[in-house]
Amino acid sequence: MREKTLRTVVAFHTTTDALAMEAYCAENAVPGRLIPLPTIISAGCGMCWSAPDEARSAVTAAAEAAGIETDGIYQMML
């Protein structure tokens, strides 16, 4: 079983926003990946961006630079 670590999780209103975040992060070498939204978070599309917590500022900056509206940014053990 994989050990849980502190992660930054970005929730989105729409699937389009989630996919735009994935594309932007891939082009700009921002760490993380799309995962199903944890059940503890209630948000619009059911997908979220998960990244190591130390990349929190890079992930937040990427969402802003890409003009992506988020439904919340969380820190959680995943």
Side-chain angles (χ1 to χ4, degrees), residues 28-70:
N28 294 283
V30 178
R33 65 186 179 103
L34 282 179
I35 64 168
L37 190 68
T39 56
I40 196 164
I41 301 172
S42 177
C45 81
M47 297 176 77
C48 65
W49 187 258
S50 173
D53 192 56
E54 55 271 7
R56 183 180 182 96
S57 61
V59 170
T60 303
E64 289 177 14
I68 298 169
E69 186 176 343
T70 65

Side-chain angles (χ1 to χ4, degrees), residues 3 10-11 19-21 24 32 40 48-49 68 75:
E3 185 177 326
V10 182
L19 295 175
M21 180 71 165
Y24 184 87
I40 196 164
C48 65
W49 187 258
I68 298 169
Q75 285 181 305

Side-chain angles (χ1 to χ4, degrees), residues 4 6 8 10-14 18 20-23 26 28 31 43 51 55 61-62 65 68-69 71-72 74:
K4 292 185 177 188
L6 189 61
T8 295
V10 182
F12 305 99
H13 293 286
T14 66
M21 180 71 165
E22 181 180 44
N28 294 283
I68 298 169
E69 186 176 343
D71 200 14
Y74 307 90

